[in-house]
Amino acid sequence: MKKYKFKFTNLILILMLVGVLVAIGCIVANLFRLFTKINGSYELTIYEYISFPIIFLLAIGFIVIVVFAFFNSYYQIVGEKVILKFGIIKTVIELKDVTEIRLLTQKSKLELIFSDESYFIIATNPDWFESFVDEIKQAKPKIAFIQVSEETKD
């Protein structure tokens, strides 16, 4: 039961970093506003009593979720199921519904093709594709494995 780490695209990594930096900026700006209010002996309004904790909680919550998603996102094959864990979100794919595995060689992507012709892309390190497919084939040997170049896919 090996875990295959989720591979984030560069765009997603940049968005995660920018989001965390913005959340940190919100915390710093609101701490500055709060200390300015307190040190200036200004009275806090009801709006400020409500907004300060909400902003702090949302920013800290966002940071925790992004960091958790970054460090705890993986695929795992357990029995006849592929489990995708993306932070706190867990998705289970039943292998009984998978009819074929396609390796798109040009894009270095694995696709799980279901009986209704829908598909699911596996976003992990291409070096792990062979091991991933082998584990699926051990769980369900009848799943076909096909390597497809982009020219022949059309």
Side-chain angles (χ1 to χ4, degrees):
M1 292 195 301
K2 180 179 175 184
K3 289 183 181 179
Y4 300 89
K5 186 93 174 105
F6 190 85
K7 184 179 179 189
F8 293 99
T9 64
N10 289 338
L11 176 63
I12 296 298
L13 289 173
I14 290 169
L15 289 174
M16 290 169 98
L17 179 63
V18 168
V20 168
L21 292 175
V22 167
I24 290 170
C26 287
I27 292 169
V28 169
N30 277 291
L31 279 174
F32 178 75
R33 280 183 43 216
L34 183 61
F35 288 133
T36 303
K37 281 275 194 182
I38 292 170
N39 288 339
S41 56
Y42 295 109
E43 202 171 303
L44 293 175
T45 64
I46 188 72
Y47 168 76
E48 290 166 331
Y49 274 113
I50 294 171
S51 67
F52 284 125
I54 289 175
I55 290 170
F56 289 130
L57 289 174
L58 288 176
I60 291 168
F62 178 79
I63 292 169
V64 167
I65 288 171
V66 168
V67 168
F68 193 67
F70 181 76
F71 288 108
N72 195 33
S73 294
Y74 59 87
Y75 300 95
Q76 188 174 29
I77 299 158
V78 179
E80 290 200 6
K81 297 175 182 173
V82 176
I83 297 171
L84 164 59
K85 186 88 165 146
F86 187 76
I88 58 173
I89 301 169
K90 182 178 176 182
T91 303
V92 176
I93 299 169
E94 296 284 342
L95 288 177
K96 66 180 174 70
D97 301 328
V98 177
T99 59
E100 162 182 317
I101 303 169
R102 287 188 197 151
L103 171 59
L104 305 178
T105 55
Q106 296 276 10
K107 294 182 179 179
S108 292
K109 289 185 179 179
L110 267 182
E111 291 181 343
L112 299 180
I113 310 298
F114 298 99
S115 52
D116 64 355
E117 293 299 315
S118 63
Y119 63 94
F120 184 84
I121 294 177
I122 302 295
T124 191
N125 187 333
D127 296 338
W128 299 335
F129 285 171
E130 185 177 335
S131 175
F132 188 83
V133 171
D134 288 345
E135 268 197 72
I136 290 178
K137 296 285 280 174
Q138 285 176 355
K140 189 174 177 205
K142 293 184 180 183
I143 296 177
F145 175 70
I146 302 169
Q147 286 187 335
V148 180
S149 67
E150 297 305 302
E151 296 87 36
T152 60
K153 190 175 180 187
D154 298 331

